[in-house]
Amino acid sequence: KKVLYSGMQSTGNLTLGNYLGALKNWITLSDEYECFYSVANMHSITVRQNPTELRKHARELLTLFIAAGIDPDKNCIYYQSHVPAHAELAWILNCYTYMGELSRMTQFKDKSAKHADNINAGLFTYPVLMAADILLYQADVVPVGIDQMQHLELTRDIAQRFNSIYGDVFTVPEAYIGRVGAKIMSLQEPSRKMSKSDENPNGSIYLMDDPDTIMRKFKRAVTDSEGQIRYRDEQPGIKNLISIYCACTGKTPEEVEREFDGRGYGEFKPAVGEAVISVLRPLQERVAELTRDKAYIDSVIKNNAEKADYVANKTLRKVQKKVGFPDKI
Ligand code: TYM
């Protein structure tokens, strides 16, 4: 079976973008591949975190993965920090990655502008840790939203560079970008992606928002004065709402245009709200149910960490040999 790898940061406040852009595709693909999904808590500390909150969010995220339909008996879901090989390989790969490459990463530029008081080395080498995540498991495919594409390209470059020096050590991974939902935009500023760190909470739908909140946010979503429901760049607000509606219902943009032909935004916006509520409500119920089953979640964390550790170490040993580190005596 081919291998799939993906990860998500445990920074709390996951948005509908995380779900539609990534998590939903993970589920669709999970039958076809041998899958590894990490709670990327080592990535999270590139921005200052409250330790208690970080621990809590990591567990919530892992619970969410299961609630969303990832079967932890068939797939490996684990905490990145439980597998030391990630940090070890990241160090090695740091020595095969250029400052110039990392300086070009748009996420680094955005984040360092936003956290100007804490532009730490981890923020800079963040994509190298992500490359280590992926390459340790010899992943063939990595489902991500569009905002992670640049990091994935860098991962491929690092893998190819390493392979060209040492022979075929790493599988060079391909990105998987979903047909719809790969870039969900803010409901308030449709030119910007929906983001968990948005200051305006009305711009984002959080996965744990209650139905009234969801409906209110959609009713307030910024649109335009065209008055037509068309999937086109000139109407970014409406285009985004159509994308969300499609991703939640499985319909195509053309079908949605036809369905709402001649109808106004006053009808369309609540329909999108309903579609989102019917996706999120069962998810929230399942999260609540699973959260109560502490022993079960604990066993998932333990068993999967062991499995991930085993697979990751196989690649790490190979890499250590290649670069010339001696075996332990
Ligand atoms: P993160 O935690 O920011 O986001 C997790 C996933 O959600 C996608 N996403 C979106 N998709 C569509 N529309 C949006 N508005 C939107 N916002 C976020 C992201 O593209 C991502 O797929 N560095 C990664 C986590 C990571 C990782 C990995 C991913 C760590 N190691 C290895 C893949 C493979 C990150 O910060 O994603």
Tab-separated table of all heavy atoms in Angstrom, residues 93-109 123-128 131 150-162:
chain	number	residue	atom	x	y	z
A	93	LEU	N	18.369	17.382	8.253
A	93	LEU	CA	17.884	18.061	7.041
A	93	LEU	C	18.175	19.563	7.067
A	93	LEU	O	18.324	20.181	6.014
A	93	LEU	CB	16.385	17.812	6.843
A	93	LEU	CG	15.981	16.352	6.593
A	93	LEU	CD1	14.476	16.257	6.377
A	93	LEU	CD2	16.734	15.739	5.400
A	94	ASN	N	18.261	20.128	8.258
A	94	ASN	CA	18.659	21.542	8.370
A	94	ASN	C	19.982	21.792	7.663
A	94	ASN	O	20.236	22.873	7.148
A	94	ASN	CB	18.851	21.933	9.839
A	94	ASN	CG	17.592	22.507	10.445
A	94	ASN	OD1	16.836	23.188	9.777
A	94	ASN	ND2	17.373	22.234	11.712
A	95	CYS	N	20.833	20.763	7.710
A	95	CYS	CA	22.165	20.910	7.117
A	95	CYS	C	22.144	20.694	5.609
A	95	CYS	O	23.171	20.782	4.947
A	95	CYS	CB	23.132	19.935	7.794
A	95	CYS	SG	23.179	20.168	9.582
A	96	TYR	N	20.960	20.415	5.069
A	96	TYR	CA	20.815	20.218	3.623
A	96	TYR	C	19.780	21.200	3.058
A	96	TYR	O	19.199	20.970	2.011
A	96	TYR	CB	20.408	18.773	3.311
A	96	TYR	CG	21.505	17.797	3.688
A	96	TYR	CD1	21.643	17.376	5.014
A	96	TYR	CD2	22.434	17.358	2.747
A	96	TYR	CE1	22.667	16.518	5.390
A	96	TYR	CE2	23.458	16.501	3.111
A	96	TYR	CZ	23.572	16.086	4.429
A	96	TYR	OH	24.598	15.235	4.791
A	97	THR	N	19.518	22.248	3.818
A	97	THR	CA	18.521	23.246	3.401
A	97	THR	C	19.187	24.606	3.471
A	97	THR	O	19.935	24.875	4.418
A	97	THR	CB	17.312	23.228	4.367
A	97	THR	OG1	16.843	21.892	4.489
A	97	THR	CG2	16.178	24.117	3.865
A	98	TYR	N	18.948	25.436	2.471
A	98	TYR	CA	19.632	26.724	2.419
A	98	TYR	C	18.814	27.846	3.067
A	98	TYR	O	17.586	27.846	2.990
A	98	TYR	CB	19.963	27.070	0.963
A	98	TYR	CG	20.846	26.017	0.343
A	98	TYR	CD1	20.390	25.226	-0.706
A	98	TYR	CD2	22.112	25.779	0.868
A	98	TYR	CE1	21.196	24.233	-1.241
A	98	TYR	CE2	22.919	24.778	0.341
A	98	TYR	CZ	22.457	24.011	-0.709
A	98	TYR	OH	23.243	23.021	-1.219
A	99	MET	N	19.534	28.764	3.669
A	99	MET	CA	18.897	29.949	4.257
A	99	MET	C	18.013	30.649	3.224
A	99	MET	O	16.922	31.109	3.522
A	99	MET	CB	19.962	30.953	4.725
A	99	MET	CG	20.937	30.421	5.735
A	99	MET	SD	20.265	30.372	7.384
A	99	MET	CE	20.283	32.120	7.776
A	100	GLY	N	18.551	30.734	1.994
A	100	GLY	CA	17.809	31.425	0.924
A	100	GLY	C	16.454	30.780	0.669
A	100	GLY	O	15.446	31.473	0.493
A	101	GLU	N	16.429	29.444	0.687
A	101	GLU	CA	15.162	28.731	0.455
A	101	GLU	C	14.164	29.065	1.559
A	101	GLU	O	12.988	29.336	1.299
A	101	GLU	CB	15.411	27.218	0.451
A	101	GLU	CG	16.151	26.722	-0.760
A	101	GLU	CD	16.471	25.223	-0.687
A	101	GLU	OE1	17.027	24.758	0.338
A	101	GLU	OE2	16.175	24.524	-1.664
A	102	LEU	N	14.652	29.029	2.797
A	102	LEU	CA	13.741	29.270	3.923
A	102	LEU	C	13.274	30.727	3.962
A	102	LEU	O	12.147	31.014	4.365
A	102	LEU	CB	14.420	28.872	5.240
A	102	LEU	CG	14.691	27.367	5.386
A	102	LEU	CD1	15.495	27.087	6.644
A	102	LEU	CD2	13.384	26.586	5.410
A	103	SER	N	14.151	31.630	3.521
A	103	SER	CA	13.776	33.051	3.516
A	103	SER	C	12.657	33.339	2.520
A	103	SER	O	11.970	34.345	2.642
A	103	SER	CB	14.958	33.936	3.129
A	103	SER	OG	16.085	33.576	3.859
A	104	ARG	N	12.518	32.473	1.534
A	104	ARG	CA	11.475	32.710	0.521
A	104	ARG	C	10.106	32.184	0.921
A	104	ARG	O	9.127	32.391	0.210
A	104	ARG	CB	11.886	32.047	-0.804
A	104	ARG	CG	12.939	32.844	-1.569
A	104	ARG	CD	13.080	32.354	-2.992
A	104	ARG	NE	13.684	31.028	-3.071
A	104	ARG	CZ	15.002	30.807	-3.069
A	104	ARG	NH1	15.835	31.806	-2.994
A	104	ARG	NH2	15.477	29.582	-3.147
A	105	MET	N	10.011	31.495	2.043
A	105	MET	CA	8.728	30.907	2.438
A	105	MET	C	7.736	32.010	2.828
A	105	MET	O	8.008	32.789	3.751
A	105	MET	CB	8.917	29.946	3.621
A	105	MET	CG	9.753	28.723	3.300
A	105	MET	SD	8.907	27.621	2.143
A	105	MET	CE	10.058	27.631	0.785
A	106	THR	N	6.604	32.049	2.165
A	106	THR	CA	5.659	33.149	2.433
A	106	THR	C	5.080	33.039	3.849
A	106	THR	O	4.800	34.047	4.471
A	106	THR	CB	4.511	33.185	1.413
A	106	THR	OG1	3.875	31.917	1.410
A	106	THR	CG2	5.014	33.492	0.028
A	107	GLN	N	4.926	31.795	4.342
A	107	GLN	CA	4.381	31.677	5.696
A	107	GLN	C	5.354	32.269	6.722
A	107	GLN	O	4.931	32.913	7.678
A	107	GLN	CB	4.073	30.218	6.039
A	107	GLN	CG	3.377	30.089	7.382
A	107	GLN	CD	2.881	28.686	7.662
A	107	GLN	OE1	2.142	28.090	6.902
A	107	GLN	NE2	3.313	28.134	8.777
A	108	PHE	N	6.654	32.064	6.500
A	108	PHE	CA	7.647	32.668	7.406
A	108	PHE	C	7.549	34.191	7.350
A	108	PHE	O	7.555	34.868	8.390
A	108	PHE	CB	9.061	32.210	7.059
A	108	PHE	CG	10.118	32.955	7.832
A	108	PHE	CD1	10.267	32.737	9.198
A	108	PHE	CD2	10.920	33.900	7.211
A	108	PHE	CE1	11.214	33.446	9.931
A	108	PHE	CE2	11.868	34.615	7.933
A	108	PHE	CZ	12.014	34.389	9.307
A	109	LYS	N	7.435	34.722	6.139
A	109	LYS	CA	7.354	36.183	6.008
A	109	LYS	C	6.105	36.713	6.727
A	109	LYS	O	6.181	37.689	7.466
A	109	LYS	CB	7.331	36.578	4.536
A	109	LYS	CG	8.663	36.334	3.840
A	109	LYS	CD	8.639	36.951	2.448
A	109	LYS	CE	9.262	36.036	1.429
A	109	LYS	NZ	9.057	36.473	0.053
A	123	LEU	N	10.833	29.191	14.022
A	123	LEU	CA	9.884	29.712	13.039
A	123	LEU	C	10.507	29.665	11.643
A	123	LEU	O	9.852	29.353	10.656
A	123	LEU	CB	9.510	31.158	13.407
A	123	LEU	CG	8.279	31.746	12.734
A	123	LEU	CD1	7.016	30.997	13.122
A	123	LEU	CD2	8.135	33.221	13.108
A	124	PHE	N	11.803	29.945	11.610
A	124	PHE	CA	12.519	29.960	10.336
A	124	PHE	C	12.682	28.551	9.762
A	124	PHE	O	12.482	28.310	8.576
A	124	PHE	CB	13.889	30.616	10.552
A	124	PHE	CG	14.637	30.903	9.290
A	124	PHE	CD1	14.126	31.781	8.339
A	124	PHE	CD2	15.868	30.306	9.048
A	124	PHE	CE1	14.815	32.049	7.170
A	124	PHE	CE2	16.564	30.575	7.879
A	124	PHE	CZ	16.040	31.444	6.937
A	125	THR	N	13.022	27.594	10.622
A	125	THR	CA	13.286	26.241	10.124
A	125	THR	C	12.045	25.334	10.198
A	125	THR	O	12.140	24.130	9.942
A	125	THR	CB	14.438	25.557	10.900
A	125	THR	OG1	14.046	25.445	12.267
A	125	THR	CG2	15.721	26.365	10.826
A	126	TYR	N	10.943	25.935	10.518
A	126	TYR	CA	9.657	25.225	10.578
A	126	TYR	C	9.437	24.277	9.390
A	126	TYR	O	9.077	23.105	9.565
A	126	TYR	CB	8.584	26.325	10.645
A	126	TYR	CG	7.158	25.948	10.622
A	126	TYR	CD1	6.325	26.219	11.712
A	126	TYR	CD2	6.563	25.379	9.494
A	126	TYR	CE1	4.982	25.922	11.680
A	126	TYR	CE2	5.230	25.078	9.464
A	126	TYR	CZ	4.442	25.347	10.545
A	126	TYR	OH	3.118	25.042	10.517
A	127	PRO	N	9.667	24.743	8.145
A	127	PRO	CA	9.419	23.848	6.997
A	127	PRO	C	10.338	22.635	6.966
A	127	PRO	O	10.002	21.616	6.370
A	127	PRO	CB	9.677	24.732	5.776
A	127	PRO	CG	9.657	26.137	6.271
A	127	PRO	CD	10.082	26.101	7.697
A	128	VAL	N	11.494	22.730	7.630
A	128	VAL	CA	12.416	21.591	7.636
A	128	VAL	C	11.866	20.500	8.553
A	128	VAL	O	11.958	19.304	8.261
A	128	VAL	CB	13.835	22.022	8.072
A	128	VAL	CG1	14.790	20.842	7.989
A	128	VAL	CG2	14.325	23.181	7.223
A	131	ALA	N	9.271	18.827	6.625
A	131	ALA	CA	9.881	17.896	5.658
A	131	ALA	C	10.270	16.604	6.368
A	131	ALA	O	10.041	15.499	5.864
A	131	ALA	CB	11.098	18.540	5.002
A	150	GLN	N	3.770	25.457	-0.746
A	150	GLN	CA	5.161	25.902	-0.844
A	150	GLN	C	6.066	25.059	0.062
A	150	GLN	O	7.177	24.707	-0.318
A	150	GLN	CB	5.242	27.387	-0.475
A	150	GLN	CG	6.499	28.040	-1.007
A	150	GLN	CD	6.682	29.466	-0.501
A	150	GLN	OE1	6.124	29.862	0.538
A	150	GLN	NE2	7.470	30.246	-1.210
A	151	HIS	N	5.554	24.716	1.241
A	151	HIS	CA	6.323	23.859	2.146
A	151	HIS	C	6.530	22.470	1.538
A	151	HIS	O	7.564	21.838	1.731
A	151	HIS	CB	5.622	23.732	3.499
A	151	HIS	CG	5.634	25.006	4.291
A	151	HIS	ND1	4.750	25.254	5.316
A	151	HIS	CD2	6.427	26.093	4.200
A	151	HIS	CE1	5.010	26.449	5.823
A	151	HIS	NE2	6.016	26.974	5.159
A	152	LEU	N	5.519	22.024	0.833
A	152	LEU	CA	5.626	20.703	0.230
A	152	LEU	C	6.624	20.688	-0.928
A	152	LEU	O	7.380	19.729	-1.098
A	152	LEU	CB	4.252	20.230	-0.233
A	152	LEU	CG	4.252	18.728	-0.254
A	152	LEU	CD1	4.163	18.183	1.149
A	152	LEU	CD2	3.155	18.204	-1.098
A	153	GLU	N	6.639	21.769	-1.681
A	153	GLU	CA	7.628	21.891	-2.762
A	153	GLU	C	9.041	21.847	-2.182
A	153	GLU	O	9.930	21.198	-2.719
A	153	GLU	CB	7.439	23.223	-3.518
A	153	GLU	CG	6.234	23.244	-4.449
A	153	GLU	CD	6.314	22.167	-5.522
A	153	GLU	OE1	7.434	21.843	-5.950
A	153	GLU	OE2	5.251	21.635	-5.897
A	154	LEU	N	9.222	22.548	-1.070
A	154	LEU	CA	10.531	22.555	-0.420
A	154	LEU	C	10.899	21.145	0.057
A	154	LEU	O	12.045	20.700	-0.089
A	154	LEU	CB	10.551	23.543	0.746
A	154	LEU	CG	11.876	23.609	1.511
A	154	LEU	CD1	12.993	24.172	0.635
A	154	LEU	CD2	11.748	24.458	2.776
A	155	THR	N	9.919	20.442	0.609
A	155	THR	CA	10.146	19.059	1.052
A	155	THR	C	10.658	18.206	-0.110
A	155	THR	O	11.605	17.430	0.034
A	155	THR	CB	8.835	18.452	1.599
A	155	THR	OG1	8.377	19.262	2.678
A	155	THR	CG2	9.032	17.027	2.077
A	156	ARG	N	10.025	18.375	-1.253
A	156	ARG	CA	10.441	17.615	-2.437
A	156	ARG	C	11.874	17.980	-2.833
A	156	ARG	O	12.684	17.107	-3.154
A	156	ARG	CB	9.495	17.893	-3.609
A	156	ARG	CG	8.096	17.283	-3.409
A	156	ARG	CD	7.110	17.834	-4.444
A	156	ARG	NE	7.592	17.672	-5.808
A	156	ARG	CZ	7.412	16.593	-6.546
A	156	ARG	NH1	6.737	15.565	-6.052
A	156	ARG	NH2	7.882	16.516	-7.772
A	157	ASP	N	12.189	19.270	-2.784
A	157	ASP	CA	13.538	19.709	-3.141
A	157	ASP	C	14.579	19.113	-2.188
A	157	ASP	O	15.635	18.650	-2.618
A	157	ASP	CB	13.639	21.244	-3.103
A	157	ASP	CG	12.866	21.893	-4.245
A	157	ASP	OD1	12.519	21.180	-5.217
A	157	ASP	OD2	12.580	23.104	-4.158
A	158	ILE	N	14.265	19.133	-0.906
A	158	ILE	CA	15.209	18.587	0.082
A	158	ILE	C	15.399	17.082	-0.160
A	158	ILE	O	16.521	16.572	-0.156
A	158	ILE	CB	14.720	18.851	1.530
A	158	ILE	CG1	14.647	20.355	1.815
A	158	ILE	CG2	15.624	18.161	2.554
A	158	ILE	CD1	13.985	20.713	3.156
A	159	ALA	N	14.298	16.384	-0.389
A	159	ALA	CA	14.368	14.931	-0.609
A	159	ALA	C	15.209	14.626	-1.848
A	159	ALA	O	16.089	13.748	-1.824
A	159	ALA	CB	12.964	14.352	-0.764
A	160	GLN	N	14.965	15.381	-2.921
A	160	GLN	CA	15.712	15.129	-4.150
A	160	GLN	C	17.193	15.454	-3.985
A	160	GLN	O	18.052	14.732	-4.479
A	160	GLN	CB	15.111	15.942	-5.306
A	160	GLN	CG	13.928	15.206	-5.926
A	160	GLN	CD	12.962	16.123	-6.664
A	160	GLN	OE1	13.050	17.356	-6.581
A	160	GLN	NE2	12.032	15.523	-7.387
A	161	ARG	N	17.461	16.519	-3.255
A	161	ARG	CA	18.856	16.898	-3.011
A	161	ARG	C	19.563	15.788	-2.235
A	161	ARG	O	20.675	15.381	-2.571
A	161	ARG	CB	18.878	18.207	-2.209
A	161	ARG	CG	20.265	18.724	-1.902
A	161	ARG	CD	20.181	20.123	-1.291
A	161	ARG	NE	19.404	21.013	-2.127
A	161	ARG	CZ	18.604	21.981	-1.660
A	161	ARG	NH1	18.482	22.194	-0.354
A	161	ARG	NH2	17.925	22.738	-2.479
A	162	PHE	N	18.927	15.308	-1.201
A	162	PHE	CA	19.522	14.258	-0.373
A	162	PHE	C	19.729	12.985	-1.199
A	162	PHE	O	20.798	12.375	-1.171
A	162	PHE	CB	18.617	13.990	0.840
A	162	PHE	CG	19.327	13.329	1.976
A	162	PHE	CD1	19.942	14.079	2.969
A	162	PHE	CD2	19.404	11.942	2.051
A	162	PHE	CE1	20.615	13.471	4.021
A	162	PHE	CE2	20.080	11.317	3.096
A	162	PHE	CZ	20.687	12.088	4.085
